[in-house]
mmCIF file with all atom_site columns, all heavy atoms in Angstrom:
data_model
loop_
_atom_site.group_PDB
_atom_site.id
_atom_site.type_symbol
_atom_site.label_atom_id
_atom_site.label_alt_id
_atom_site.label_comp_id
_atom_site.label_asym_id
_atom_site.label_entity_id
_atom_site.label_seq_id
_atom_site.pdbx_PDB_ins_code
_atom_site.Cartn_x
_atom_site.Cartn_y
_atom_site.Cartn_z
_atom_site.occupancy
_atom_site.B_iso_or_equiv
_atom_site.pdbx_formal_charge
_atom_site.auth_seq_id
_atom_site.auth_comp_id
_atom_site.auth_asym_id
_atom_site.auth_atom_id
_atom_site.pdbx_PDB_model_num
ATOM   1   N N   . PRO A 1 10  ? 286.735 201.428 134.736 1.00 96.00 ? 33  PRO A N   1
ATOM   2   C CA  . PRO A 1 10  ? 285.906 202.332 134.004 1.00 96.00 ? 33  PRO A CA  1
ATOM   3   C C   . PRO A 1 10  ? 286.786 202.924 132.805 1.00 96.00 ? 33  PRO A C   1
ATOM   4   O O   . PRO A 1 10  ? 287.953 203.146 132.947 1.00 96.00 ? 33  PRO A O   1
ATOM   5   C CB  . PRO A 1 10  ? 285.855 203.518 134.937 1.00 96.00 ? 33  PRO A CB  1
ATOM   6   C CG  . PRO A 1 10  ? 286.616 203.167 136.231 1.00 96.00 ? 33  PRO A CG  1
ATOM   7   C CD  . PRO A 1 10  ? 286.949 201.718 136.125 1.00 96.00 ? 33  PRO A CD  1
ATOM   8   N N   . GLY A 1 11  ? 286.158 202.867 131.628 1.00 96.00 ? 34  GLY A N   1
ATOM   9   C CA  . GLY A 1 11  ? 286.781 203.311 130.419 1.00 96.00 ? 34  GLY A CA  1
ATOM   10  C C   . GLY A 1 11  ? 287.540 202.175 129.688 1.00 96.00 ? 34  GLY A C   1
ATOM   11  O O   . GLY A 1 11  ? 288.084 202.402 128.669 1.00 96.00 ? 34  GLY A O   1
ATOM   12  N N   . ALA A 1 12  ? 287.279 200.967 130.091 1.00 98.00 ? 35  ALA A N   1
ATOM   13  C CA  . ALA A 1 12  ? 287.970 199.798 129.514 1.00 98.00 ? 35  ALA A CA  1
ATOM   14  C C   . ALA A 1 12  ? 287.372 199.514 128.050 1.00 98.00 ? 35  ALA A C   1
ATOM   15  O O   . ALA A 1 12  ? 287.995 198.880 127.355 1.00 98.00 ? 35  ALA A O   1
ATOM   16  C CB  . ALA A 1 12  ? 287.906 198.589 130.366 1.00 98.00 ? 35  ALA A CB  1
ATOM   17  N N   . GLY A 1 13  ? 286.151 199.919 127.899 1.00 97.00 ? 36  GLY A N   1
ATOM   18  C CA  . GLY A 1 13  ? 285.518 199.702 126.518 1.00 97.00 ? 36  GLY A CA  1
ATOM   19  C C   . GLY A 1 13  ? 284.376 198.735 126.588 1.00 97.00 ? 36  GLY A C   1
ATOM   20  O O   . GLY A 1 13  ? 283.965 198.229 125.614 1.00 97.00 ? 36  GLY A O   1
ATOM   21  N N   . GLY A 1 15  ? 281.161 199.531 127.364 1.00 95.00 ? 38  GLY A N   1
ATOM   22  C CA  . GLY A 1 15  ? 279.926 200.022 126.685 1.00 95.00 ? 38  GLY A CA  1
ATOM   23  C C   . GLY A 1 15  ? 280.186 199.950 125.234 1.00 95.00 ? 38  GLY A C   1
ATOM   24  O O   . GLY A 1 15  ? 279.294 199.561 124.338 1.00 95.00 ? 38  GLY A O   1
ATOM   25  N N   . THR A 1 16  ? 281.340 200.302 124.758 1.00 96.00 ? 39  THR A N   1
ATOM   26  C CA  . THR A 1 16  ? 281.794 200.279 123.277 1.00 96.00 ? 39  THR A CA  1
ATOM   27  C C   . THR A 1 16  ? 281.566 198.782 122.642 1.00 96.00 ? 39  THR A C   1
ATOM   28  O O   . THR A 1 16  ? 280.903 198.660 121.652 1.00 96.00 ? 39  THR A O   1
ATOM   29  C CB  . THR A 1 16  ? 283.206 200.751 123.231 1.00 96.00 ? 39  THR A CB  1
ATOM   30  O OG1 . THR A 1 16  ? 283.318 202.005 123.873 1.00 96.00 ? 39  THR A OG1 1
ATOM   31  C CG2 . THR A 1 16  ? 283.611 200.936 121.676 1.00 96.00 ? 39  THR A CG2 1
ATOM   32  N N   . THR A 1 32  ? 274.302 198.895 134.135 1.00 97.00 ? 55  THR A N   1
ATOM   33  C CA  . THR A 1 32  ? 273.801 199.571 135.297 1.00 97.00 ? 55  THR A CA  1
ATOM   34  C C   . THR A 1 32  ? 274.124 201.086 135.251 1.00 97.00 ? 55  THR A C   1
ATOM   35  O O   . THR A 1 32  ? 273.309 201.837 135.834 1.00 97.00 ? 55  THR A O   1
ATOM   36  C CB  . THR A 1 32  ? 274.262 198.869 136.595 1.00 97.00 ? 55  THR A CB  1
ATOM   37  O OG1 . THR A 1 32  ? 275.618 198.509 136.316 1.00 97.00 ? 55  THR A OG1 1
ATOM   38  C CG2 . THR A 1 32  ? 273.554 197.767 137.040 1.00 97.00 ? 55  THR A CG2 1
ATOM   39  N N   . ARG A 1 37  ? 271.875 206.402 134.912 1.00 97.00 ? 60  ARG A N   1
ATOM   40  C CA  . ARG A 1 37  ? 271.764 207.741 134.364 1.00 97.00 ? 60  ARG A CA  1
ATOM   41  C C   . ARG A 1 37  ? 270.443 208.022 133.825 1.00 97.00 ? 60  ARG A C   1
ATOM   42  O O   . ARG A 1 37  ? 269.908 209.238 133.896 1.00 97.00 ? 60  ARG A O   1
ATOM   43  C CB  . ARG A 1 37  ? 272.778 207.774 133.176 1.00 97.00 ? 60  ARG A CB  1
ATOM   44  C CG  . ARG A 1 37  ? 274.183 208.122 133.805 1.00 97.00 ? 60  ARG A CG  1
ATOM   45  C CD  . ARG A 1 37  ? 275.235 208.291 132.619 1.00 97.00 ? 60  ARG A CD  1
ATOM   46  N NE  . ARG A 1 37  ? 275.536 207.050 131.851 1.00 97.00 ? 60  ARG A NE  1
ATOM   47  C CZ  . ARG A 1 37  ? 276.439 206.243 132.233 1.00 97.00 ? 60  ARG A CZ  1
ATOM   48  N NH1 . ARG A 1 37  ? 277.103 206.429 133.383 1.00 97.00 ? 60  ARG A NH1 1
ATOM   49  N NH2 . ARG A 1 37  ? 276.627 205.081 131.611 1.00 97.00 ? 60  ARG A NH2 1
ATOM   50  N N   . MET A 1 54  ? 277.651 208.922 142.188 1.00 98.00 ? 77  MET A N   1
ATOM   51  C CA  . MET A 1 54  ? 278.319 208.777 140.857 1.00 98.00 ? 77  MET A CA  1
ATOM   52  C C   . MET A 1 54  ? 279.066 209.946 140.600 1.00 98.00 ? 77  MET A C   1
ATOM   53  O O   . MET A 1 54  ? 280.261 209.816 140.003 1.00 98.00 ? 77  MET A O   1
ATOM   54  C CB  . MET A 1 54  ? 277.230 208.596 139.734 1.00 98.00 ? 77  MET A CB  1
ATOM   55  C CG  . MET A 1 54  ? 276.596 207.341 139.878 1.00 98.00 ? 77  MET A CG  1
ATOM   56  S SD  . MET A 1 54  ? 275.051 207.136 138.849 1.00 98.00 ? 77  MET A SD  1
ATOM   57  C CE  . MET A 1 54  ? 275.820 206.822 137.248 1.00 98.00 ? 77  MET A CE  1
ATOM   58  N N   . VAL A 1 58  ? 282.022 207.068 143.420 1.00 98.00 ? 81  VAL A N   1
ATOM   59  C CA  . VAL A 1 58  ? 281.962 205.865 144.319 1.00 98.00 ? 81  VAL A CA  1
ATOM   60  C C   . VAL A 1 58  ? 280.790 205.020 143.780 1.00 98.00 ? 81  VAL A C   1
ATOM   61  O O   . VAL A 1 58  ? 279.799 205.546 143.058 1.00 98.00 ? 81  VAL A O   1
ATOM   62  C CB  . VAL A 1 58  ? 281.850 206.170 145.767 1.00 98.00 ? 81  VAL A CB  1
ATOM   63  C CG1 . VAL A 1 58  ? 283.059 206.919 146.203 1.00 98.00 ? 81  VAL A CG1 1
ATOM   64  C CG2 . VAL A 1 58  ? 280.664 207.074 146.019 1.00 98.00 ? 81  VAL A CG2 1
ATOM   65  N N   . VAL A 1 60  ? 277.242 202.919 143.876 1.00 98.00 ? 83  VAL A N   1
ATOM   66  C CA  . VAL A 1 60  ? 275.937 203.101 144.574 1.00 98.00 ? 83  VAL A CA  1
ATOM   67  C C   . VAL A 1 60  ? 275.708 201.759 145.271 1.00 98.00 ? 83  VAL A C   1
ATOM   68  O O   . VAL A 1 60  ? 276.373 200.780 145.091 1.00 98.00 ? 83  VAL A O   1
ATOM   69  C CB  . VAL A 1 60  ? 274.780 203.482 143.509 1.00 98.00 ? 83  VAL A CB  1
ATOM   70  C CG1 . VAL A 1 60  ? 275.217 204.676 142.766 1.00 98.00 ? 83  VAL A CG1 1
ATOM   71  C CG2 . VAL A 1 60  ? 274.536 202.351 142.539 1.00 98.00 ? 83  VAL A CG2 1
ATOM   72  N N   . GLY A 1 86  ? 279.058 196.542 133.369 1.00 96.00 ? 109 GLY A N   1
ATOM   73  C CA  . GLY A 1 86  ? 279.259 197.399 134.571 1.00 96.00 ? 109 GLY A CA  1
ATOM   74  C C   . GLY A 1 86  ? 278.536 196.698 135.775 1.00 96.00 ? 109 GLY A C   1
ATOM   75  O O   . GLY A 1 86  ? 278.449 197.290 136.821 1.00 96.00 ? 109 GLY A O   1
ATOM   76  N N   . ARG A 1 89  ? 279.537 194.559 140.087 1.00 97.00 ? 112 ARG A N   1
ATOM   77  C CA  . ARG A 1 89  ? 280.782 195.276 140.402 1.00 97.00 ? 112 ARG A CA  1
ATOM   78  C C   . ARG A 1 89  ? 281.237 195.074 141.864 1.00 97.00 ? 112 ARG A C   1
ATOM   79  O O   . ARG A 1 89  ? 282.315 195.669 142.308 1.00 97.00 ? 112 ARG A O   1
ATOM   80  C CB  . ARG A 1 89  ? 280.347 196.880 140.477 1.00 97.00 ? 112 ARG A CB  1
ATOM   81  C CG  . ARG A 1 89  ? 281.059 197.579 139.143 1.00 97.00 ? 112 ARG A CG  1
ATOM   82  C CD  . ARG A 1 89  ? 280.483 198.955 139.189 1.00 97.00 ? 112 ARG A CD  1
ATOM   83  N NE  . ARG A 1 89  ? 281.206 199.907 138.446 1.00 97.00 ? 112 ARG A NE  1
ATOM   84  C CZ  . ARG A 1 89  ? 280.940 200.284 137.228 1.00 97.00 ? 112 ARG A CZ  1
ATOM   85  N NH1 . ARG A 1 89  ? 279.898 199.770 136.584 1.00 97.00 ? 112 ARG A NH1 1
ATOM   86  N NH2 . ARG A 1 89  ? 281.514 201.357 136.616 1.00 97.00 ? 112 ARG A NH2 1
ATOM   87  N N   . GLN A 1 93  ? 277.117 191.616 144.522 1.00 98.00 ? 116 GLN A N   1
ATOM   88  C CA  . GLN A 1 93  ? 276.346 191.648 143.310 1.00 98.00 ? 116 GLN A CA  1
ATOM   89  C C   . GLN A 1 93  ? 276.484 190.376 142.535 1.00 98.00 ? 116 GLN A C   1
ATOM   90  O O   . GLN A 1 93  ? 275.504 189.951 141.840 1.00 98.00 ? 116 GLN A O   1
ATOM   91  C CB  . GLN A 1 93  ? 276.762 192.854 142.416 1.00 98.00 ? 116 GLN A CB  1
ATOM   92  C CG  . GLN A 1 93  ? 276.288 194.273 143.122 1.00 98.00 ? 116 GLN A CG  1
ATOM   93  C CD  . GLN A 1 93  ? 276.806 195.346 142.250 1.00 98.00 ? 116 GLN A CD  1
ATOM   94  O OE1 . GLN A 1 93  ? 277.018 195.306 141.069 1.00 98.00 ? 116 GLN A OE1 1
ATOM   95  N NE2 . GLN A 1 93  ? 276.962 196.530 142.947 1.00 98.00 ? 116 GLN A NE2 1
ATOM   96  N N   . ARG A 1 128 ? 286.492 211.523 126.685 1.00 96.00 ? 151 ARG A N   1
ATOM   97  C CA  . ARG A 1 128 ? 284.969 211.395 126.549 1.00 96.00 ? 151 ARG A CA  1
ATOM   98  C C   . ARG A 1 128 ? 284.287 212.548 127.247 1.00 96.00 ? 151 ARG A C   1
ATOM   99  O O   . ARG A 1 128 ? 283.344 213.083 126.864 1.00 96.00 ? 151 ARG A O   1
ATOM   100 C CB  . ARG A 1 128 ? 284.507 210.073 127.154 1.00 96.00 ? 151 ARG A CB  1
ATOM   101 C CG  . ARG A 1 128 ? 283.034 209.784 126.993 1.00 96.00 ? 151 ARG A CG  1
ATOM   102 C CD  . ARG A 1 128 ? 282.556 208.435 127.354 1.00 96.00 ? 151 ARG A CD  1
ATOM   103 N NE  . ARG A 1 128 ? 282.815 208.136 128.799 1.00 96.00 ? 151 ARG A NE  1
ATOM   104 C CZ  . ARG A 1 128 ? 282.505 207.037 129.414 1.00 96.00 ? 151 ARG A CZ  1
ATOM   105 N NH1 . ARG A 1 128 ? 282.116 206.030 128.628 1.00 96.00 ? 151 ARG A NH1 1
ATOM   106 N NH2 . ARG A 1 128 ? 282.727 206.820 130.564 1.00 96.00 ? 151 ARG A NH2 1
ATOM   107 N N   . ARG A 1 146 ? 287.445 206.635 140.691 1.00 97.00 ? 169 ARG A N   1
ATOM   108 C CA  . ARG A 1 146 ? 286.651 205.489 140.217 1.00 97.00 ? 169 ARG A CA  1
ATOM   109 C C   . ARG A 1 146 ? 287.565 204.294 139.970 1.00 97.00 ? 169 ARG A C   1
ATOM   110 O O   . ARG A 1 146 ? 287.076 203.125 140.073 1.00 97.00 ? 169 ARG A O   1
ATOM   111 C CB  . ARG A 1 146 ? 285.965 205.955 138.791 1.00 97.00 ? 169 ARG A CB  1
ATOM   112 C CG  . ARG A 1 146 ? 284.857 206.925 139.086 1.00 97.00 ? 169 ARG A CG  1
ATOM   113 C CD  . ARG A 1 146 ? 284.498 207.759 137.730 1.00 97.00 ? 169 ARG A CD  1
ATOM   114 N NE  . ARG A 1 146 ? 284.086 206.764 136.701 1.00 97.00 ? 169 ARG A NE  1
ATOM   115 C CZ  . ARG A 1 146 ? 284.002 207.163 135.369 1.00 97.00 ? 169 ARG A CZ  1
ATOM   116 N NH1 . ARG A 1 146 ? 284.318 208.389 135.045 1.00 97.00 ? 169 ARG A NH1 1
ATOM   117 N NH2 . ARG A 1 146 ? 283.483 206.360 134.499 1.00 97.00 ? 169 ARG A NH2 1
ATOM   118 N N   . GLY A 1 174 ? 293.943 198.733 121.695 1.00 97.00 ? 197 GLY A N   1
ATOM   119 C CA  . GLY A 1 174 ? 294.034 198.434 120.266 1.00 97.00 ? 197 GLY A CA  1
ATOM   120 C C   . GLY A 1 174 ? 292.767 198.954 119.522 1.00 97.00 ? 197 GLY A C   1
ATOM   121 O O   . GLY A 1 174 ? 291.953 199.622 120.179 1.00 97.00 ? 197 GLY A O   1
HETATM 122 P P1  . B4P B 2 .   ? 279.483 203.143 134.121 1.00 50.42 ? 328 B4P B P1  1
HETATM 123 O O1  . B4P B 2 .   ? 278.436 203.820 133.412 1.00 50.42 ? 328 B4P B O1  1
HETATM 124 O O2  . B4P B 2 .   ? 279.464 201.670 134.135 1.00 50.42 ? 328 B4P B O2  1
HETATM 125 O O3  . B4P B 2 .   ? 280.831 203.698 133.343 1.00 50.42 ? 328 B4P B O3  1
HETATM 126 P P2  . B4P B 2 .   ? 282.299 203.245 132.948 1.00 50.42 ? 328 B4P B P2  1
HETATM 127 O O4  . B4P B 2 .   ? 282.888 202.439 134.083 1.00 50.42 ? 328 B4P B O4  1
HETATM 128 O O5  . B4P B 2 .   ? 282.884 204.554 132.670 1.00 50.42 ? 328 B4P B O5  1
HETATM 129 O O6  . B4P B 2 .   ? 282.245 202.373 131.653 1.00 50.42 ? 328 B4P B O6  1
HETATM 130 P P3  . B4P B 2 .   ? 281.756 202.635 130.265 1.00 50.42 ? 328 B4P B P3  1
HETATM 131 O O7  . B4P B 2 .   ? 281.149 201.411 129.688 1.00 50.42 ? 328 B4P B O7  1
HETATM 132 O O8  . B4P B 2 .   ? 280.960 203.913 130.128 1.00 50.42 ? 328 B4P B O8  1
HETATM 133 O O9  . B4P B 2 .   ? 282.960 203.143 129.341 1.00 50.42 ? 328 B4P B O9  1
HETATM 134 P P4  . B4P B 2 .   ? 283.721 202.413 128.127 1.00 50.42 ? 328 B4P B P4  1
HETATM 135 O O10 . B4P B 2 .   ? 284.650 201.560 128.847 1.00 50.42 ? 328 B4P B O10 1
HETATM 136 O O11 . B4P B 2 .   ? 282.841 201.723 127.109 1.00 50.42 ? 328 B4P B O11 1
HETATM 137 O O12 . B4P B 2 .   ? 279.583 203.607 135.580 1.00 50.42 ? 328 B4P B O12 1
HETATM 138 C C1  . B4P B 2 .   ? 279.448 204.978 135.987 1.00 50.42 ? 328 B4P B C1  1
HETATM 139 C C2  . B4P B 2 .   ? 279.098 205.034 137.565 1.00 50.42 ? 328 B4P B C2  1
HETATM 140 O O13 . B4P B 2 .   ? 277.842 204.446 137.818 1.00 50.42 ? 328 B4P B O13 1
HETATM 141 C C3  . B4P B 2 .   ? 280.076 204.252 138.492 1.00 50.42 ? 328 B4P B C3  1
HETATM 142 O O14 . B4P B 2 .   ? 281.293 205.062 138.795 1.00 50.42 ? 328 B4P B O14 1
HETATM 143 C C4  . B4P B 2 .   ? 279.183 204.065 139.706 1.00 50.42 ? 328 B4P B C4  1
HETATM 144 O O15 . B4P B 2 .   ? 279.039 205.183 140.578 1.00 50.42 ? 328 B4P B O15 1
HETATM 145 C C5  . B4P B 2 .   ? 277.767 203.704 138.965 1.00 50.42 ? 328 B4P B C5  1
HETATM 146 N N1  . B4P B 2 .   ? 277.474 202.288 138.900 1.00 50.42 ? 328 B4P B N1  1
HETATM 147 C C6  . B4P B 2 .   ? 277.356 201.636 137.646 1.00 50.42 ? 328 B4P B C6  1
HETATM 148 N N2  . B4P B 2 .   ? 277.093 200.368 137.858 1.00 50.42 ? 328 B4P B N2  1
HETATM 149 C C7  . B4P B 2 .   ? 277.162 200.067 139.199 1.00 50.42 ? 328 B4P B C7  1
HETATM 150 C C8  . B4P B 2 .   ? 277.127 198.952 139.830 1.00 50.42 ? 328 B4P B C8  1
HETATM 151 N N3  . B4P B 2 .   ? 276.907 197.723 139.345 1.00 50.42 ? 328 B4P B N3  1
HETATM 152 N N4  . B4P B 2 .   ? 277.100 198.949 141.243 1.00 50.42 ? 328 B4P B N4  1
HETATM 153 C C9  . B4P B 2 .   ? 277.453 200.171 141.927 1.00 50.42 ? 328 B4P B C9  1
HETATM 154 N N5  . B4P B 2 .   ? 277.472 201.405 141.177 1.00 50.42 ? 328 B4P B N5  1
HETATM 155 C C10 . B4P B 2 .   ? 277.458 201.389 139.822 1.00 50.42 ? 328 B4P B C10 1
HETATM 156 O O16 . B4P B 2 .   ? 284.277 203.620 127.343 1.00 50.42 ? 328 B4P B O16 1
HETATM 157 C C11 . B4P B 2 .   ? 285.065 204.725 127.769 1.00 50.42 ? 328 B4P B C11 1
HETATM 158 C C12 . B4P B 2 .   ? 285.733 205.418 126.629 1.00 50.42 ? 328 B4P B C12 1
HETATM 159 O O17 . B4P B 2 .   ? 286.713 204.819 125.961 1.00 50.42 ? 328 B4P B O17 1
HETATM 160 C C13 . B4P B 2 .   ? 284.678 205.837 125.571 1.00 50.42 ? 328 B4P B C13 1
HETATM 161 O O18 . B4P B 2 .   ? 284.805 207.222 125.227 1.00 50.42 ? 328 B4P B O18 1
HETATM 162 C C14 . B4P B 2 .   ? 285.085 204.956 124.438 1.00 50.42 ? 328 B4P B C14 1
HETATM 163 O O19 . B4P B 2 .   ? 284.789 205.668 123.086 1.00 50.42 ? 328 B4P B O19 1
HETATM 164 C C15 . B4P B 2 .   ? 286.602 204.799 124.624 1.00 50.42 ? 328 B4P B C15 1
HETATM 165 N N6  . B4P B 2 .   ? 287.016 203.590 124.067 1.00 50.42 ? 328 B4P B N6  1
HETATM 166 C C16 . B4P B 2 .   ? 286.374 202.347 124.107 1.00 50.42 ? 328 B4P B C16 1
HETATM 167 N N7  . B4P B 2 .   ? 287.217 201.427 123.459 1.00 50.42 ? 328 B4P B N7  1
HETATM 168 C C17 . B4P B 2 .   ? 288.281 202.021 122.971 1.00 50.42 ? 328 B4P B C17 1
HETATM 169 C C18 . B4P B 2 .   ? 289.505 201.537 122.292 1.00 50.42 ? 328 B4P B C18 1
HETATM 170 N N8  . B4P B 2 .   ? 289.672 200.258 121.946 1.00 50.42 ? 328 B4P B N8  1
HETATM 171 N N9  . B4P B 2 .   ? 290.408 202.426 122.045 1.00 50.42 ? 328 B4P B N9  1
HETATM 172 C C19 . B4P B 2 .   ? 290.333 203.769 122.389 1.00 50.42 ? 328 B4P B C19 1
HETATM 173 N N10 . B4P B 2 .   ? 289.253 204.270 123.220 1.00 50.42 ? 328 B4P B N10 1
HETATM 174 C C20 . B4P B 2 .   ? 288.202 203.355 123.415 1.00 50.42 ? 328 B4P B C20 1
#
Side-chain angles (χ1 to χ4, degrees):
T39 306
T55 38
R60 281 184 289 276
M77 290 169 77
V81 299
V83 305
R112 254 178 161 98
Q116 291 180 21
R151 183 172 66 183
R169 287 162 67 193

